Amino acid sequence: MKKALITGITGQDGYFLSKLLLSKGYEVHGIIRRNSSMHQGTLEKLNPEERQLIKIHYGDITDNNFIVNVVEKTRPDEVYHLAAQSFVGYSFENPTFTYHNNIMGTLNVLNAVKEKAKDAKLYFAATSELFGRTTIKPQNEETPFMPNSPYAISKLAGYWTTKSYREAYNLFFCNGILFNHESEVRGPEFVTRKISMGVAKMSIGDTGPLILGNLNSRKDWGYAKDFVDGMYSMLQQEKADDFVLATGEQHTVREFVEEAFKIVGKNIEWEGEGINEIGRDPNTHDVIVKVDKTFFRPIEAENFLGDYSKAKKILNWEPKTKFRDLVKIMVENDISLLKKST
Ligand code: NAP
């Protein structure tokens, strides 16, 4: 039985990856940070049979001794290093924490695998945010990086460490340069989930409005369930390499909002511009969307569009879920969660 170790197992991708690896018969080990409520994040959404199969190790990736011990004890065949402070907005507020967590945490994980499980294959969760302010479109594995947030800079350190360890020590270390991927278990602070939750609430009587940042920000949004297939596939190759995973489609936050309201039978009429823009329900004239500058990033990165042709050619990977279906999955799931809780 193959063994996989997942850092960041309580996050969005950890959820889908755990399901995938369990379905393939892996022994799955996951690292969880202890908290006072003993909450286990998205792991709590797995079905009980899946959950009891996961072997949990309580600790933090910034604790080097802990990571070394876990890697030594578990001797994994595959390591999926997903743990990170992953919210760009928060990284501007707390850059020191973001650097420490994402850079030192990653260094600990990579060093532990290098020293204690050098034959293991490792996936590092890099990101399209590495491209930041680029004007080149679409972005692929050869596009120069222009990170423009503390989050992206911390991930750039992880990206280069992964790549240089691969080359210097002949390790099977891969970077997944993943464009945004969302889902019904996306954290509530991320704009897509904020929209799906807000629209779901308004569909059952909440008056709103939905308060958002830059409506014109363009993203390449895919479905997390599709993207973990690509991560897995990277570690099944003969040769370690870096891959972009994306959908190759760009949509604005505005389009996400419009699509989400359509699912609950509402159209939007936009009025005004910039931070004074509002969205009204044309039937009731109620304001259902407002813009607030506190939700803008200090430097916007708004031109993400991925070219996943290398992943298609080598991994035979393609995104399966279309933008509209993704929005539908998220909104319908939030409506059903609300109905269950009332
Ligand atoms: P997420 O939902 O924010 O999950 C992050 C996970 O990392 C959580 O399980 C979190 O644990 C854990 N973590 C953070 N710091 C830790 C520490 N010091 N020790 C142990 N665990 C720690 O992120 P995601 O969306 O699943 O993304 C997975 C990875 O891919 C992240 O590295 C992210 O930056 C990267 N990525 C994501 C996207 C995307 O669109 N989703 C795109 C590109 C790259 P807690 O539950 O305790 O907070």
Side-chain angles (χ1 to χ4, degrees), residues 8-14 31 33 59-62 82-86 101 125-127 151 155 178-182 186:
I9 198 166
T10 57
Q12 169 186 262
D13 292 1
I31 288 174
R33 289 192 278 197
D60 195 298
I61 59 162
T62 57
L82 310 180
Q85 187 305 92
S86 70
N101 198 56
T127 165
Y151 167 75
K155 285 286 184 175
L178 270 52
F179 281 64
N180 281 66
H181 45 282
E182 316 296 311
R186 186 61 146 151

Side-chain angles (χ1 to χ4, degrees), residues 158-211:
Y159 168 91
W160 282 116
T161 313
T162 300
K163 201 176 175 75
S164 63
Y165 273 31
R166 175 170 78 221
E167 290 162 5
Y169 308 116
N170 195 26
L171 297 164
F172 196 109
F173 282 14
C174 301
N175 282 297
I177 307 168
L178 270 52
F179 281 64
N180 281 66
H181 45 282
E182 316 296 311
S183 74
E184 63 275 30
V185 296
R186 186 61 146 151
E189 70 277 33
F190 291 89
V191 68
T192 52
R193 189 75 195 283
K194 197 170 161 185
I195 296 168
S196 67
M197 288 168 75
V199 170
K201 277 189 196 151
M202 277 188 254
S203 78
I204 61 159
D206 191 282
T207 50
L210 193 54
I211 302 178

Side-chain angles (χ1 to χ4, degrees), residues 239-255:
K239 187 174 157 284
D241 206 344
D242 305 326
F243 293 93
V244 161
L245 300 184
T247 69
E249 275 185 29
Q250 219 175 26
H251 294 276
T252 58
V253 172
R254 183 188 305 280
E255 284 172 73

Side-chain angles (χ1 to χ4, degrees), residues 7 79-84 102-103 105-107 109-110 121-127 130 151 154-163 172-178 231 234-235 241-243:
T7 73
V79 177
Y80 294 86
H81 173 37
L82 310 180
N102 294 1
I103 299 176
T106 296
L107 197 58
V109 173
L110 268 50
K121 295 180 166 184
L122 177 137
Y123 170 89
F124 171 64
T127 165
L130 300 182
Y151 167 75
S154 74
K155 285 286 184 175
L156 190 61
Y159 168 91
W160 282 116
T161 313
T162 300
K163 201 176 175 75
F172 196 109
F173 282 14
C174 301
N175 282 297
I177 307 168
L178 270 52
M231 292 177 190
M234 285 179 213
L235 298 199
D241 206 344
D242 305 326
F243 293 93

Side-chain angles (χ1 to χ4, degrees), residues 138 179 220-221 227 245-251 304-308 319:
F179 281 64
D220 178 328
W221 275 304
F227 280 48
L245 300 184
T247 69
E249 275 185 29
Q250 219 175 26
H251 294 276
F304 294 119
L305 180 66
D307 164 9
Y308 63 89

